[in-house]
Amino acid sequence: MNITKKDIDKLNAVLTVEVSKDDYSANVEKVLNNYRKTANIPGFRKGHIPMGMVKKQYGKAVLVEEVNKVLQDALHKFLTEEKLDVLGNPLPKNETEINWEADDYSFEFELGLAPEFKVDVKGKEVVQYKIVADDEMLNNQVKTIRKQYGKLISKKEVAKGDEITGIFTSSEKDIENKTTLSTEEIAGKKQLESLIGAKVGDTVTFKTKGMFADDHDNQKYLGVEHDDAHGLDIEVSFKIEEVNKREMAELNQELFDKLFGEAVVTSEEELKAKIKEDAEGQFAQQSDQKLLNDVVDSLLENTKFDLPKEFLQRWIAMSGEKRLSEEEAKAEYERSEKGLRYQLIEGKLRTENKLQVTFEELKDHSKNMIKAQMAQFGQTNPTDEELESIAARILSNKEEVQRLSEQMNSTKLLNFFKKNAKLKTKEVTYDKFIKEAYV
């Protein structure tokens, strides 16, 4: 067998594989002999079928199959030994021209070669957000906690700050929805004036336009569909069934212990510090995801290289269960090109900087995860044998291994970017972060 490679350009090549009779004949004879022993052909006892008849009936199919096996093994070995970085799979070029009556065969395969390029993570500056919980957020959180753990005092008449339970109805939009809302949720001046002073049992009628600051509240409180909630402008009736004043809980040790355990927090200042710590820990996860996305976008924008576009379109057309038309393959390539480019960039970063997750790292991560989960249920000192046993069960699940691997790979890449990318730290409140990052 002989394999030669001819470069068309830097991204495309053709492999020619010469297969001689000596490469496959022994395998073909072995398979046909087995067929002779096991085949059922009317008029002949099993194992006594003439070889000529076996060859006539099965010979060509066996020949094609065995030659293809030899061919695929040779291709894999050649690509591995030559360390060729190919995209997709080799595409047969002349398979319809093969004369299977001959003894020797010549096969041609198109190759799409991965481009050579450099990745500069220190190129364009990327913003790294540090999201802080400001005083307004902390005060609002304290207020929410005090409301949540406060008590309700029943009333007969609505006043500002009260919570009202009632039924919204409207024949125009077929609304009949029981809900509870606070007068603080009402943004419309006229609607609020209609409610203040109303009594239990009264029915108040008003327009929905401008009733809430956010139109999505029409969906929440009136029960309308999402599409109807936007710009809703109808007349509704609201029958008041219950009025309550929420007396906020006192900031005392009883409340602190209920929230965090005995003596963990002993003052309002410590409460705010705890809320700040917890909130900023959650914010950090959002900030990290934003940073990862932004660095990826920056690398895609600033890492330039060509791809074997025409080859990849032909490969896409042929690689699925159903063969795609030229137009379908082109459209699919355009949809997947960005993802392919990032796969190449990420692969290069991982290889050059040894960012691959090892099995030992995966096992250690699983054991740490198990320890944390067990600690939540009071098991603070599990034995190494217990951890090994549970980790082994987790790592025997392919889906769980894939999930954990992806999680760890993402973390490794993020930490690499934090240390090596050109970052500019920007401190913002959560509201400002949402406006800058997602609006």
Side-chain angles (χ1 to χ4, degrees), residues 142-155:
V142 170
K143 185 178 179 181
T144 299
I145 289 171
R146 293 184 66 190
K147 281 186 174 181
Q148 182 180 349
Y149 287 89
K151 61 181 180 180
L152 293 177
I153 300 173
S154 181
K155 296 179 61 180

Side-chain angles (χ1 to χ4, degrees), residues 85-295:
D85 193 1
V86 299
L87 302 179
N89 294 311
L91 289 181
K93 189 176 180 184
N94 67 329
E95 61 181 346
T96 58
E97 303 169 6
I98 302 300
N99 176 16
W100 292 102
E101 301 301 323
D103 290 333
D104 301 329
Y105 311 104
S106 178
F107 300 90
E108 290 183 339
F109 294 88
E110 294 180 84
L111 297 183
L113 304 176
E116 294 184 4
F117 59 93
K118 292 183 178 180
V119 183
D120 182 13
V121 295
K122 296 184 181 295
K124 189 176 178 182
E125 189 174 75
V126 176
V127 173
Q128 181 180 18
Y129 288 96
K130 181 182 178 183
I131 310 171
V132 296
D134 61 352
D135 289 340
E136 182 181 358
M137 171 177 280
L138 296 177
N139 290 332
N140 286 336
Q141 283 292 98
V142 170
K143 185 178 179 181
T144 299
I145 289 171
R146 293 184 66 190
K147 281 186 174 181
Q148 182 180 349
Y149 287 89
K151 61 181 180 180
L152 293 177
I153 300 173
S154 181
K155 296 179 61 180
K156 297 296 184 183
E157 185 176 309
V158 179
K160 283 188 177 181
D162 288 345
E163 293 181 8
I164 315 165
T165 298
I167 301 175
F168 278 109
T169 57
S170 168
S171 57
E172 185 175 344
K173 282 289 183 180
D174 196 24
I175 294 170
E176 186 172 348
N177 193 60
K178 184 172 182 176
T179 190
T180 299
L181 75 165
S182 168
T183 58
E184 294 176 354
E185 302 290 335
I186 307 296
K189 186 177 179 181
K190 290 183 178 179
Q191 292 93 332
L192 185 59
E193 288 176 351
S194 298
L195 282 171
I196 299 299
K199 296 178 174 58
V200 174
D202 287 352
T203 297
V204 181
T205 301
F206 40 66
K207 291 281 189 179
T208 59
K209 185 177 181 180
M211 180 163 61
F212 301 112
D214 186 346
D215 279 349
H216 288 96
D217 284 345
N218 288 320
Q219 185 180 7
K220 178 179 178 181
Y221 294 117
L222 302 181
V224 297
E225 296 295 326
H226 180 270
D227 292 343
D228 291 331
H230 292 276
L232 186 67
D233 186 10
I234 61 172
E235 187 172 89
V236 293
S237 297
F238 184 58
K239 184 176 181 180
I240 300 172
E241 293 187 340
E242 189 178 332
V243 179
N244 291 291
K245 177 182 178 181
R246 185 171 289 273
E247 185 177 275
M248 293 199 293
E250 291 186 26
L251 291 176
N252 55 27
Q253 196 59 48
E254 182 183 354
L255 177 61
F256 300 151
D257 291 349
K258 191 179 294 184
L259 291 169
F260 301 107
E262 188 174 351
V264 174
V265 169
T266 59
S267 66
E268 182 177 352
E269 290 71 24
E270 289 182 8
L271 171 63
K272 288 182 177 180
K274 185 70 174 172
I275 294 171
K276 183 178 177 70
E277 179 187 353
D278 292 345
E280 290 182 354
Q282 295 177 22
F283 295 159
Q285 296 177 21
Q286 294 185 56
S287 176
D288 283 348
Q289 188 58 56
K290 174 63 176 168
L291 175 62
L292 188 59
N293 293 343
D294 287 350
V295 174

Side-chain angles (χ1 to χ4, degrees), residues 5 15 79 83-90 110-114 308 311-312 344:
K5 172 174 165 279
L15 284 187
L79 295 176
K83 297 180 180 178
L84 293 179
D85 193 1
V86 299
L87 302 179
N89 294 311
E110 294 180 84
L111 297 183
L113 304 176
F311 167 84
L312 288 170
L344 292 171

